[in-house]
Amino acid sequence: MRSLLQDNVLPNDLCIGCGGCTFHIGGGSKMALDERGQYTPVIASDADASVADPLCPFSGMADDEDTLGQALFGDRGCGQTGLTHDARLGFYRSVSVGHANEGDFRLAGSSGGLTNWLLHELFQQGEIDAVIGVGELAHAPGGTQYGYQIIESASELHRLAKSKYYPVTLDEVLRSVHARDLRYAFVGVPCFVKTVRNLCRQHPVLEQRIRFCIAIVCGHLKSRAFAQSIGWELGVAPATLESVDFRVKVPGAPANRYAVEVKGAHTRRQQQVFDLFTSDWGLGFFKYKACDFCDDIAGETADVTFGDAWLPEPVKAWQGHNIVVVRHPLIARLLEHANKAGRITLEGVTSDDFVASQGANYRHRHDGLAIRLQDAKAAGEWVPQKRIAASYAHASKKRQRVIRLRNRLREESHRAFITAKQRGRFKTFKRKMQPRVLHYHLAAGSLTKYLVKRVLINVRRVIKIRV
Ligand SMILES: Cc1cc2nc3c(=O)[nH]c(=O)nc-3n(C[C@H](O)[C@H](O)[C@H](O)COP(=O)(O)OP(=O)(O)OC[C@H]3O[C@@H](n4cnc5c(N)ncnc54)[C@H](O)[C@@H]3O)c2cc1C
Ligand code: SF4
Ligand code: SF4
């Protein structure tokens, strides 16, 4: 039987690679990395993929964040009364900014270290036996470096610390959850949490075992080429890349001026993230197309959401701050008690502060989505039903052009990197992308700023070499 996945999601490249479908379909269906380094389902020829349509976050048939949020946290949710609703964040009990004080959670983490601190606390309080999170995998150089795994003790949590801007998928780890009767906390980007929530409705075993869903705020997911391109730009070729630390804290620098570190067989190199050609997040190189059709920034279906507090004051502290949206009453209590005891620091802020902390994200993913949806409609392309209406009404012609150029940067970056790998030269990637980046900055009105920045970076490099 044909399915929405096979007829619409996959042909339109709108799969985020969560693996919910292959887990649910079972049998010989599995997830695999495609040529771009994105996970995609390979559905067995004898399988009926339509059974997974109601849980795929991009089929348009799964319950959306509003429906799931209402069932989980609204008046009819299980004892979760007293939450406020904001169309931009979903339901919330509180919004705050802070960081962990005890242990090395903050310095070892991406932001304020509160994600791993909370997982540790859930272990300590006897609330969970295991965590489903993303960490380093045992691998050969050039192989798959990061992925979902199950951690069964608080002392192993350090393996999950820091964000992995890397493709991940859930099907295998969910099979392990199905096989092993433990109480789990799940950590994922918002669309993966949505998949897990929809799966729980169909698999009572998952519903009973996955006790907490924790979201991390997400700008977009990257293909494996992002890690490889950072490595290559720093002199480590994809086949020899051993690891990438995507979030190295730089003492004295603002928190958003973090560095990246790559390791190859005989090399270890570090560079400030804004100095690299590859890692300007605004350009969206190696982005999954699905991310351009996603409107959940605050992890609306999660019990708690952690992000970076990109706000004027917190960003000054190089050690990092989280922005936190709490929905679950038990998590609210744990955080409150620890805050009173000084084990963590949390200060209440508003939902407007949350939106301000993710300003570019909301502009691209909400306002920009309306343009992308209207473009798709005009071109007769299939897109899933979204909560944002298709429209050009709010956007100038210039803004529409910028949004369209971002689509082209996304698409061309995948192609250019494949060609660079075939030719064995990073320069091929840069040569192909540079004119497009200049064109983009010209259209966006940021060309002078971009050129000045590149000159300063090169001057700094020359001074460093001479010293
Ligand atoms: C792809 C991606 C995009 C992001 N985009 C934004 C953004 O636009 N704005 C923003 O404020 N924050 C973003 N974040 C979140 C941010 O980088 C931090 O992860 C978050 O603030 C938590 O920091 P922490 O110090 O509390 O986490 P830590 O204590 O360091 O714990 C990190 C946790 O993240 C989990 N994790 C790591 N990588 C992944 C992954 N690929 N998928 C799922 N879980 C993972 C680990 O399991 C671990 O539990 C993004 C994270 C990812 C992975
Ligand atoms: S988004 Fe997830 S559920 Fe949907 S097709 Fe892709 S892997 Fe399957
Ligand atoms: S932007 Fe949306 S679709 Fe993309 S990984 Fe993040 S939560 Fe998922």
Side-chain angles (χ1 to χ4, degrees):
M1 191 193 256
R2 295 300 296 178
S3 64
L4 291 175
L5 302 188
Q6 289 158 313
D7 291 345
N8 296 335
V9 179
L10 298 175
N12 286 289
D13 196 20
L14 287 171
C15 167
I16 195 60
C18 66
C21 55
T22 51
F23 164 76
H24 188 66
I25 296 165
S29 300
K30 58 178 194 232
M31 297 301 292
L33 282 173
D34 67 13
E35 191 190 14
R36 295 168 297 182
Q38 291 189 183
Y39 276 109
T40 188
V42 181
I43 310 285
S45 55
D46 58 348
D48 174 8
S50 66
V51 296
D53 287 342
L55 56 88
C56 168
F58 287 94
S59 68
M61 202 176 150
D63 278 344
D64 70 10
E65 293 80 357
D66 285 344
T67 309
L68 287 168
Q70 182 63 43
L72 289 159
F73 311 116
D75 289 342
R76 284 176 292 118
C78 322
Q80 312 258 348
T81 51
L83 277 79
T84 310
H85 188 269
D86 182 314
R88 304 162 303 174
L89 279 74
F91 285 93
Y92 67 95
R93 190 173 294 274
S94 65
V95 184
S96 45
V97 167
H99 53 80
N101 293 328
E102 57 189 0
D104 68 346
F105 295 106
R106 188 181 189 191
L107 288 188
S110 276
S111 317
L114 282 175
T115 312
N116 264 2
W117 177 88
L118 175 66
L119 295 170
H120 190 268
E121 189 68 3
L122 289 170
F123 269 120
Q124 296 303 106
Q125 298 292 331
E127 294 291 339
I128 56 169
D129 310 306
V131 171
I132 310 161
V134 173
E136 194 161 3
L137 299 169
H139 70 279
T144 303
Q145 275 129 350
Y146 305 99
Y148 266 102
Q149 51 202 270
I150 293 176
I151 298 287
E152 291 191 23
S153 93
S155 63
E156 284 179 85
L157 277 172
H158 60 90
R159 285 172 46 193
L160 305 184
K162 293 195 181 177
S163 309
K164 316 294 183 295
Y165 304 126
Y166 201 83
V168 292
T169 192
L170 284 170
D171 63 347
E172 273 183 32
V173 88
L174 288 177
R175 285 187 233 281
S176 307
V177 173
H178 215 271
R180 198 150 150 68
D181 186 7
L182 298 173
R183 296 166 305 156
Y184 298 85
F186 169 73
V187 188
V189 290
C191 61
F192 278 45
V193 175
K194 184 176 159 187
T195 296
V196 166
R197 293 296 197 191
N198 275 309
L199 273 171
C200 283
R201 291 172 150 204
Q202 304 208 26
H203 293 258
V205 169
L206 296 185
E207 170 79 17
Q208 182 222 330
R209 294 181 185 168
I210 301 178
R211 298 291 172 92
F212 301 99
C213 280
I214 298 173
I216 50 177
V217 175
C218 175
H220 60 262
L221 195 58
K222 299 284 193 185
S223 79
R224 191 167 69 153
F226 182 62
Q228 294 180 332
S229 185
I230 289 175
W232 217 359
E233 192 171 351
L234 288 173
V236 181
T240 59
L241 185 64
E242 289 186 353
S243 67
V244 181
D245 183 340
F246 297 93
R247 296 286 299 249
V248 178
K249 297 189 179 198
V250 180
N256 59 354
R257 303 264 153 183
Y258 58 87
V260 288
E261 183 176 284
V262 298
K263 269 193 232 159
H266 309 288
T267 330
R268 179 194 286 248
R269 298 232 167 93
Q270 208 180 91
Q271 184 86 41
Q272 217 249 18
V273 71
F274 286 128
D275 287 1
L276 291 176
F277 182 69
T278 303
S279 52
D280 180 340
W281 277 79
L283 298 177
F285 287 173
F286 312 121
K287 186 197 301 185
Y288 278 62
K289 181 181 169 192
C291 297
D292 275 341
F293 291 87
C294 163
D295 54 26
D296 182 2
I297 293 165
E300 296 176 35
T301 66
D303 295 312
V304 60
T305 301
F306 294 101
D308 284 295
W310 300 138
L311 290 167
E313 274 310 307
V315 84
K316 288 180 188 162
W318 66 271
Q319 297 92 335
H321 280 83
N322 285 110
I323 191 139
V324 190
V325 181
V326 181
R327 302 186 181 89
H328 194 291
L330 181 116
I331 292 175
R333 275 200 304 279
L334 292 180
L335 292 170
E336 265 164 39
H337 287 158
N339 192 27
K340 276 193 189 132
R343 296 166 55 216
I344 63 173
T345 296
L346 274 182
E347 203 175 303
V349 294
T350 65
S351 56
D352 285 344
D353 290 320
F354 179 86
V355 174
S357 83
Q358 306 296 326
N361 224 341
Y362 278 96
R363 283 191 297 278
H364 183 74
R365 304 258 301 288
H366 281 194
D367 305 346
L369 176 57
I371 298 169
R372 287 186 290 277
L373 289 171
Q374 189 65 36
D375 280 351
K377 211 167 147 186
E381 288 166 13
W382 179 87
V383 278
Q385 178 67 35
K386 301 309 299 180
R387 295 174 298 169
I388 305 279
S391 168
Y392 296 139
H394 65 297
S396 65
K397 289 268 180 243
K398 179 180 162 187
R399 181 69 182 157
Q400 292 175 36
R401 195 165 143 69
V402 166
I403 292 292
R404 287 176 197 129
L405 284 171
R406 283 188 191 158
N407 295 343
R408 284 169 55 187
L409 286 172
R410 181 194 71 223
E411 291 302 305
E412 188 54 34
S413 65
H414 292 296
R415 279 195 290 271
F417 198 73
I418 291 169
T419 310
K421 283 214 285 189
Q422 284 161 352
R423 296 192 188 158
R425 288 159 60 94
F426 179 72
K427 271 190 186 154
T428 302
F429 173 71
K430 208 169 166 183
R431 279 209 190 111
K432 282 184 175 288
M433 294 310 296
Q434 188 74 81
R436 292 182 186 274
V437 171
L438 293 174
H439 183 191
Y440 169 79
H441 281 296
L442 183 65
S446 51
L447 186 60
T448 311
K449 195 173 155 202
Y450 175 74
L451 291 174
V452 169
K453 193 179 107 182
R454 296 314 306 175
V455 169
L456 288 175
I457 290 167
N458 286 329
V459 169
R460 273 210 303 273
R461 268 190 200 142
V462 171
I463 293 171
K464 219 169 160 187
I465 291 165
R466 291 218 173 126
V467 172

